[in-house]
Amino acid sequence: ADATELWTGRFKLLFEPTDNFKIISTSSYTENFAGEDVIDATNGNPGLPVSASQVIREVAYDTPGREGTETFIQSINATWDISDRVQFHSITTYQDTDYVRIEDFDRTPAPIAARDRTGVDEAYSQELRGKYLGDALNVAGGFYYFENEDGFTDTFSVPATAVNPALPASILIDRVSQTTNETRNFAFFVDGQYSLNDTIDLLFGARYDNEQLENTSVSETSIQGGIPPGFEFLAPLLGSQSTITDADYEAFLPKFGVRLNLTDDANLAFVSQRAYRAGGAQIIILDGSVNEFDPEFLWNYELALRTEWLDGRLRWNANIYYSDWSDQQVLEPLEAFPTFSQTVNAGQSTLYGFETDFSLDATDELQIYGGIGYSFTEFDDFPNGNFDPALPPSETNQANFAGNRFPFAPRWSGNFGVTYADEHGFFGGVDANFQSEVFAESSNFAINECCDRLLMNARIGYAWNGFRLSAYVRNALDDEYYSFFNGAQVGNEIARFGNPRTYAVRLDASF
């Protein structure tokens, strides 16, 4: 049910008409398709979800699932060294993508509910950047422009319960909708550093960003077999409908910091920076309603240490960060139909943590490396739009998600590995990575806490005369785990598997 296939090709051309001017052209084409990856986490026993290792890996769909893209990308990267200190850079990109998705909503052999989506995505961007490298001042600045037009056509049939849980599932609603999204974005930016002396560097930057959005939707809704007797009140939901939304956002994003060069082998830096993501409006294809959301802003404060030891054979880095997040945009499933989702704003959020990593050249052939990170995430104020004041507050009826963790945000993560490469061309390595449990949604239902894992990988190979032959295995211990799990709705306990053990052989050649 979840077969995957990936084809990709890339062609690069370097053109150097003069010693100080070069152009790199990169063309790439990718086909990336997969099947249906949502599974029943109960083995057909609603209300009794099981672990990933206990799931019976059998499905029965009347509509074979398929999702994927065909993408062509062309970029032109030009660099002009005007002098030893001044450089001009131009990056031009074009992307064209075709998208398809077919899925069986009810995930049964019965022809009850299905979805067929096709889409196109076309984008163009242009960046012009100048760079100055001085004795004390290093600075880069420029202009960025981006425009994108994407759209999709949705054809689906769903039980009326998808629109209103009070309606009977025997009423099947057909809907065809066409949605077009247009985005234009431009920005001016500068980033640099100024050395006061051999010990202190001042870091600075700023960006002005402007984004314009327009969304258009046209739909046609009908009921299979017509409106049943007694349900004439559904008539206003049927027929043609069109919706247009537009918005304009802008932001000023400063950055400042300082770096202390403690020794030749160590420096300590502090940086504060403002980040931003534009708001927008979504047209919910289930019923054509408009969901508007605000832009989000974040102030991030980070202390970073970079060191080298043992004559450069040992490198150790550490970062501590704190972020103050306003109106964080969170993707939340629709309560009545969790296969669909919408973007909502959390009022206030906090994020802080640390990460540290090391790399040791134990010998000329052997390298040991590793890292660990801790991330504390919490919604400080996030009113629940689905709260029902007529019912008592509970885990399933939370008035506010304050105190809950961000979706898909593990507290702990880490990695450790060993690599070997000798002068005769033999190489190999073993590595492991770890992630603690996460929640898939902002409500943090206890039943949905999942997806912790420890994965190990290994590789071995031989290199000679521009060739490199290698074999590797991923998830070597074949750990069975969920990458997504939602068991809060009895009868709709869904999950996705993590990648299984995978073997591969690879040959690289360079000339």
Side-chain angles (χ1 to χ4, degrees):
D2 189 23
T4 62
E5 186 174 20
L6 169 67
W7 287 91
T8 184
R10 184 178 63 181
F11 178 75
K12 295 175 73 75
L13 178 66
L14 170 64
F15 179 55
E16 295 179 303
T18 65
D19 292 339
N20 65 339
F21 185 70
K22 68 177 181 180
I23 300 174
I24 299 177
S25 170
T26 303
S27 307
S28 67
Y29 178 79
T30 301
E31 293 184 11
N32 189 4
F33 287 92
E36 179 57 67
D37 62 350
V38 174
I39 55 97
D40 176 9
T42 69
N43 291 335
N45 300 300
L48 300 172
V50 298
S51 66
S53 61
Q54 296 175 308
V55 171
I56 299 174
R57 292 178 180 250
E58 296 178 359
V59 297
Y61 301 145
D62 65 294
T63 302
R66 178 173 173 82
E67 182 176 23
T69 58
E70 297 181 20
T71 302
F72 171 75
I73 299 177
Q74 174 64 50
S75 69
I76 303 293
N77 193 327
T79 303
W80 180 23
D81 294 321
I82 300 175
S83 69
D84 293 340
R85 295 181 178 270
V86 180
Q87 183 184 84
F88 180 78
H89 205 58
S90 171
I91 304 173
T92 306
T93 65
Y94 171 78
Q95 172 186 313
D96 182 67
T97 298
D98 292 323
Y99 172 82
V100 62
R101 177 167 185 173
I102 302 171
E103 63 179 303
D104 189 332
F105 274 159
D106 56 283
R107 298 186 298 280
T108 72
I112 298 175
R115 177 190 192 183
D116 187 346
R117 168 179 283 194
T118 57
V120 294
D121 187 344
E122 190 173 26
Y124 163 81
S125 71
Q126 175 65 57
E127 180 174 333
L128 300 175
R129 185 193 314 156
K131 183 185 295 184
Y132 173 76
L133 304 175
D135 295 329
L137 176 66
N138 294 323
V139 62
F143 171 78
Y144 174 80
Y145 177 80
F146 169 84
E147 65 178 38
N148 171 242
E149 181 173 339
D150 66 84
F152 55 85
T153 300
D154 262 306
T155 303
F156 63 84
S157 299
V158 295
T161 51
V163 178
N164 187 335
L167 296 174
S170 58
I171 299 178
L172 299 181
I173 297 177
D174 292 336
R175 186 176 177 88
V176 178
S177 64
Q178 293 180 314
T179 301
T180 303
N181 307 300
E182 296 183 8
T183 304
R184 287 180 175 82
N185 173 231
F186 69 87
F188 299 93
F189 61 89
V190 62
D191 191 88
Q193 69 175 49
Y194 181 77
S195 299
L196 290 178
N197 50 49
D198 293 339
T199 303
I200 302 176
D201 298 326
L202 300 181
L203 312 176
F204 62 89
R207 182 184 183 94
Y208 170 77
D209 195 273
N210 183 287
E211 187 164 321
Q212 302 169 12
L213 309 171
E214 183 175 303
N215 311 91
T216 304
S217 175
V218 179
S219 62
E220 181 75 27
T221 307
S222 61
I223 291 179
Q224 293 184 19
I227 300 177
F231 292 91
E232 288 77 12
F233 63 89
L234 294 176
L237 299 176
L238 308 182
S240 300
Q241 182 181 33
S242 62
T243 306
I244 299 176
T245 66
D246 59 76
D248 192 344
Y249 302 95
E250 63 179 356
F252 178 69
L253 310 172
K255 165 189 172 181
F256 58 88
V258 61
R259 180 170 56 233
L260 303 178
N261 301 300
L262 306 176
T263 69
D264 292 339
D265 298 319
N267 66 65
L268 181 67
F270 174 79
V271 175
S272 175
Q273 187 167 4
R274 192 187 194 208
Y276 147 88
R277 180 160 57 176
Q282 295 171 299
I283 300 173
I284 306 301
I285 61 174
L286 270 176
D287 57 8
S289 61
V290 177
N291 171 53
E292 297 183 351
F293 53 94
D294 296 326
E296 64 177 12
F297 291 90
L298 178 144
W299 272 104
N300 186 68
Y301 309 91
E302 187 161 5
L303 186 66
L305 178 67
R306 302 289 181 265
T307 66
E308 291 187 354
W309 308 77
L310 305 177
D311 296 325
R313 292 195 299 114
L314 173 62
R315 295 161 294 279
W316 175 60
N317 305 315
N319 289 52
I320 300 174
Y321 58 89
Y322 174 85
S323 299
D324 186 11
W325 213 329
S326 300
D327 293 322
Q328 178 187 359
Q329 295 173 13
V330 183
L331 196 63
E332 285 289 287
L334 298 179
E335 185 178 28
F337 209 64
T339 305
F340 291 92
S341 58
Q342 64 180 1
T343 300
V344 298
N345 291 102
Q348 197 71 25
S349 308
T350 297
L351 164 67
Y352 63 82
F354 72 87
E355 52 193 18
T356 181
D357 65 83
F358 79 95
S359 175
L360 171 65
D361 298 330
T363 68
D364 291 341
E365 297 84 16
L366 187 67
Q367 184 185 74
I368 304 171
Y369 62 91
I372 190 170
Y374 172 79
S375 180
F376 179 88
T377 65
E378 185 174 87
F379 295 116
D380 301 320
D381 181 28
F382 187 179
N384 179 11
N386 294 319
F387 173 67
D388 187 349
L391 298 176
S394 65
E395 183 186 42
T396 57
N397 189 40
Q398 302 175 44
N400 197 303
F401 294 138
N404 289 1
R405 289 161 54 179
F406 297 172
F408 303 108
R411 284 279 195 256
W412 292 94
S413 59
N415 71 297
F416 180 81
V418 178
T419 61
Y420 174 85
D422 65 23
E423 60 184 5
H424 305 294
F426 292 99
F427 63 90
V430 177
D431 66 86
N433 61 82
F434 166 76
Q435 174 188 292
S436 63
E437 67 281 347
V438 300
F439 293 98
E441 24 57 46
S442 304
S443 51
N444 284 194
F445 295 138
I447 193 175
N448 289 344
E449 189 173 19
C450 79
C451 309
D452 56 316
R453 59 182 184 263
L454 174 63
L455 304 179
M456 297 191 66
N457 312 297
R459 58 199 175 278
I460 190 172
Y462 179 70
W464 77 101
N465 297 331
F467 292 91
R468 186 179 178 92
L469 179 65
S470 59
Y472 62 84
V473 56
R474 295 174 180 162
N475 190 5
L477 301 182
D478 201 19
D479 184 23
E480 296 180 296
Y481 64 98
Y482 290 134
S483 62
F484 170 86
F485 177 82
N486 189 337
Q489 285 192 332
V490 175
N492 194 35
E493 296 93 341
I494 58 175
R496 291 185 174 91
F497 285 121
N499 291 328
R501 179 163 52 200
T502 306
Y503 302 96
V505 176
R506 173 173 173 153
L507 176 65
D508 293 272
S510 59
F511 53 90

